[in-house]
Amino acid sequence: MNFQTGWEQGAQQWQQMMTEGWSRMLSGLDPAALQGPVAAGLPAPLNFDAQKLDQLRQQYLEDARALWTQGPGSVAGSDKRFAAEVWSGNPVAAYSAAMYQLQSRTLGALAEAVQADDKTRARIRFAVDQWLAAMAPSNFLAFNPEAQQKALETKGESLAQGLTNLLHDLRQGHISMTDESVFEVGRNVATTEGAVVFENELFQLIEYKPLTAKVHERPFLMVPPCINKYYILDLQPTNSLIRYAVSQGQRTFVVSWRNPDESLAGKTWDDYIQDAVLKAIEVTREIAASQQINALGFCVGGTMLGNALAVLAARGEKPVASATFLTALLDFKDTGILDVFIDENFVRLREMQMGQGGLMKGQDMASTFSFLRPNDLVWNYVVGNYLKGEQPPPFDLLYWNSDSTNLPGPFYAWYLRNFYLENNLIQPGKLTVCGESLDLSQVKLPVYIYGSREDHIVPIGAAYASTQALPGKKRFVMGASGHIAGVINPPAANKRSHWVRDDGEFPAQLDDWLAGATQTPGSWWDDWAGWLKSHSGKQVAAPKAYGRGQSYQAIEPAPGRYVQQKA
């Protein structure tokens, strides 16, 4: 028996042992056999569809038998973790990958066979996905032939470098997704020229230098999410939505949030609406000497803008002429994959931990979002950084993604309960914010609503639901791709598509809207720019200085101090 044949036989024996174990496990899930623990007074086990379970058992045995008799063949398929030729060329690696893929299919189907409500099944699927992502053979040096090959080729240097990378990441508190040493905010990200013209303890207001001889008389304010740094809207000159707005003749202002420390640990949702969003609207109006402004809210910034507009409507004030909502939730009925975390017990726990004060640490939140896509945003870097000793390449988007921000505990706990758990914003009179009873049906200004088709944070149907909550004249646009890539899609890149519908109809369901929509190649930015222009008033000479008189003078150059603060 030669060496190669010995490896193959050993791998087959190991695979047969695993198959027999899984077959026994599936047999043990027989619904009739599961009644014993209940009778003994133990917690009720999960119930399974008996027919699906039997089909699953038979399918597993058939697939395992084929693996025994025919071998693993190529394991690459569409799974990039096993795409390298060395996976198919190494018998142990090939069998481990093939067995893992079989078990993944089986566990996924098993989760679907659970008889439970939709939320319970979603939680089971999420837990199964996390376990499968963690247990992939590619994550272990003993089963990863690429890492083994690199260790041999480098005479162990890759393993030494991997250990160095691991110690570095332990010190910094998160897995490196990019070479963070390459980037510096204000030097090669967030470089659009401007100045801070106002600040308080919650935010700085940045005014940007005009790029045109004339600007529209009605200023434009962007409210980004406070759970991230604003410069996702200003990564590079070529993909900066901020610079694009300025180039369209918009006199542009942007809220740059302070990264909360213990001094802000008691701040509430009301504080952020009154002293940040409403204050930014007021200051923008005063600097531009304009009765009204146009405003944009992105992600959580859109939820905050929606709250602020409802407060203004309750007060009978109309300082905002039009609003843009980018991948934002107003109706929280469908919160996508994040719903697996939300229930009364979870929210009550957060209220006990930080509802009266404290901080939701930015790194904890960043880790949660990373594990929504564990293969791409966690284990991919575990393998590359630690098993292979590689340095991740520079990537501005991933640098921004790692630049996390804290949240005040009372703000966060109130947000969870009133939006994610109870969906109170769309219920007229249910919420009181800044002393006002909120009713979105009174927010009657024109709105532009954008949603991304593959968004896993703000599902496209949830973005569309804002068309049903807001009564004013509307335009809804759907873009391709996800939460970030769909938004940051400059026209010059000529990527992706967007969908529009020009008959003014907004059926209750997204699918019905799509039935009358038209697909248009390229970015949605130009469509939005044309819409915004129609609400921006006449053109006037561009200002030659930042701020206004003695009241609002330039404090420091953009991007300012607040965005530099680390969590």
Side-chain angles (χ1 to χ4, degrees):
M1 180 177 66
N2 62 34
F3 180 76
Q4 181 80 351
T5 303
W7 271 106
E8 291 174 349
Q9 290 181 350
Q12 287 178 328
Q13 291 171 359
W14 173 81
Q15 187 266 345
Q16 183 173 357
M17 178 183 67
M18 292 293 294
T19 301
E20 291 172 351
W22 270 69
S23 181
R24 287 194 296 271
M25 183 272 288
L26 290 171
S27 297
L29 292 176
D30 190 309
L34 289 173
Q35 301 307 309
V38 179
L42 298 175
L46 292 172
N47 292 317
F48 294 88
D49 182 300
Q51 183 177 1
K52 288 183 179 179
L53 198 61
D54 185 63
Q55 292 174 348
L56 178 59
R57 186 162 44 232
Q58 294 301 319
Q59 185 65 52
Y60 178 82
L61 290 174
E62 289 177 12
D63 291 346
R65 190 177 299 111
L67 189 56
W68 290 345
T69 57
Q70 300 171 18
S74 175
V75 296
S78 60
D79 195 330
K80 62 183 179 182
R81 292 173 295 181
F82 312 122
E85 291 183 6
V86 68
W87 278 96
S88 297
N90 181 312
V92 171
Y95 271 104
S96 66
M99 195 65 196
Y100 168 77
Q101 291 170 331
L102 171 57
Q103 291 166 349
S104 295
R105 293 194 301 271
T106 304
L107 271 177
L110 192 61
E112 293 299 326
V114 171
Q115 293 180 323
D117 59 89
D118 290 342
K119 186 158 189 168
T120 299
R121 273 202 305 273
R123 285 178 161 175
I124 292 170
R125 283 195 299 269
F126 182 80
V128 167
D129 288 345
Q130 296 300 316
W131 189 85
L132 289 172
M135 297 307 295
S138 53
N139 298 340
F140 300 92
L141 182 61
F143 293 103
N144 190 321
E146 294 179 78
Q148 295 167 4
Q149 186 178 60
K150 189 162 189 178
L152 292 173
E153 291 173 350
T154 63
K155 299 180 180 179
E157 288 185 11
S158 63
L159 298 179
Q161 184 59 51
L163 181 59
T164 300
N165 292 345
L166 174 61
L167 294 174
H168 172 269
D169 287 355
L170 288 173
R171 286 193 297 270
Q172 74 175 3
H174 63 267
I175 297 174
S176 294
M177 297 182 181
T178 184
D179 184 355
E180 297 179 23
S181 65
V182 171
F183 299 101
E184 181 183 348
V185 175
R187 181 176 63 84
N188 54 9
V189 291
T191 60
T192 300
E193 189 174 356
V196 174
V197 292
F198 173 83
E199 68 181 41
N200 63 19
E201 62 180 345
L202 296 179
F203 76 102
Q204 290 185 318
L205 186 67
I206 301 173
E207 180 182 3
Y208 287 92
K209 182 179 179 179
L211 295 173
T212 53
K214 291 186 176 183
V215 297
H216 291 282
E217 63 178 346
R218 187 170 287 156
F220 174 55
L221 171 67
M222 289 183 169
V223 182
C226 57
I227 62 172
N228 302 112
K229 301 291 183 70
Y230 85 86
Y231 64 87
I232 184 58
L233 300 172
D234 191 30
L235 283 175
Q236 302 293 331
T238 55
N239 65 2
S240 169
L241 184 59
I242 291 173
R243 185 178 179 86
Y244 176 80
V246 176
S247 73
Q248 298 298 306
Q250 297 293 337
R251 188 175 180 183
T252 303
F253 297 77
V254 173
V255 170
S256 175
W257 298 103
R258 182 179 170 189
N259 203 336
D261 55 20
E262 291 298 334
S263 68
L264 299 182
K267 292 298 180 181
T268 65
W269 182 265
D270 279 22
D271 292 328
Y272 271 73
I273 301 303
Q274 183 64 57
D275 298 333
V277 182
L278 291 174
K279 187 64 177 178
I281 292 171
E282 174 191 338
V283 173
T284 300
R285 287 178 57 223
E286 291 178 353
I287 289 176
S290 176
Q291 290 187 348
Q292 289 186 308
I293 72 167
N294 295 312
L296 175 150
F298 175 30
C299 187
V300 178
T303 306
M304 297 172 77
L305 178 61
N307 275 244
L309 293 173
V311 169
L312 291 168
R315 293 174 179 174
E317 301 174 14
K318 299 180 179 180
V320 180
S322 76
T324 298
F325 294 94
L326 302 183
T327 58
L329 287 170
L330 297 178
D331 182 342
F332 284 72
K333 181 179 179 180
D334 177 11
T335 55
I337 194 171
L338 292 176
D339 185 60
V340 301
F341 300 108
I342 305 298
D343 60 20
E344 177 65 35
N345 290 332
F346 173 79
V347 173
R348 188 175 297 172
L349 174 63
R350 287 307 198 187
E351 290 172 336
M352 292 172 57
Q353 291 174 328
M354 60 186 68
Q356 300 304 312
L359 292 175
M360 176 61 188
K361 294 295 186 180
Q363 189 52 53
D364 293 342
M365 192 174 304
S367 296
T368 298
F369 280 102
S370 291
F371 275 100
L372 298 180
R373 296 169 55 197
N375 287 327
D376 293 331
L377 296 179
V378 179
W379 299 108
N380 173 53
Y381 296 102
V382 169
V383 173
N385 296 3
Y386 311 147
L387 299 191
K388 298 181 182 178
E390 298 171 345
Q391 185 75 18
F395 188 12
D396 52 9
L397 177 60
L398 291 178
Y399 173 77
W400 166 83
N401 190 62
S402 298
D403 193 4
S404 60
T405 57
N406 302 323
L407 282 179
F411 171 102
Y412 174 66
W414 194 93
Y415 173 68
L416 285 179
R417 174 166 294 282
N418 286 284
F419 299 133
Y420 273 91
L421 182 64
E422 298 181 0
N423 194 17
N424 288 332
L425 183 56
I426 62 165
Q427 302 178 53
K430 181 70 172 180
L431 279 185
T432 298
V433 175
C434 301
E436 306 295 344
S437 178
L438 303 193
D439 184 354
L440 289 180
S441 69
Q442 300 305 306
V443 180
K444 300 178 179 179
L445 76 174
V447 294
Y448 188 103
I449 302 167
Y450 168 84
S452 290
R453 185 179 58 184
E454 287 88 29
D455 196 333
H456 63 295
I457 296 174
V458 179
I460 183 61
Y464 179 77
S466 295
T467 65
Q468 308 301 301
L470 297 171
K473 188 174 182 180
K474 296 175 282 280
R475 184 165 180 79
F476 177 78
V477 174
M478 182 180 78
S481 198
H483 189 67
I484 298 298
V487 172
I488 309 304
N489 184 28
N494 197 27
K495 289 183 177 180
R496 309 183 183 97
S497 296
H498 63 280
W499 287 257
V500 296
R501 180 168 173 168
D502 293 320
D503 62 1
E505 295 295 320
F506 296 95
Q509 300 300 319
L510 172 68
D511 288 343
D512 295 328
W513 180 87
L514 282 171
T518 302
Q519 181 177 352
T520 303
S523 171
W524 58 273
W525 286 15
D526 288 341
D527 180 86
W528 167 72
W531 178 90
L532 183 61
K533 181 180 179 180
S534 70
H535 297 283
S536 298
K538 65 182 180 181
Q539 291 196 321
V540 297
K544 299 186 181 302
Y546 297 114
R548 184 175 182 82
Q550 296 298 313
S551 300
Y552 299 105
Q553 295 186 342
I555 298 172
E556 60 187 357
R561 304 185 316 282
Y562 285 9
V563 74
Q564 309 274 2
Q565 297 167 335
K566 298 296 182 180

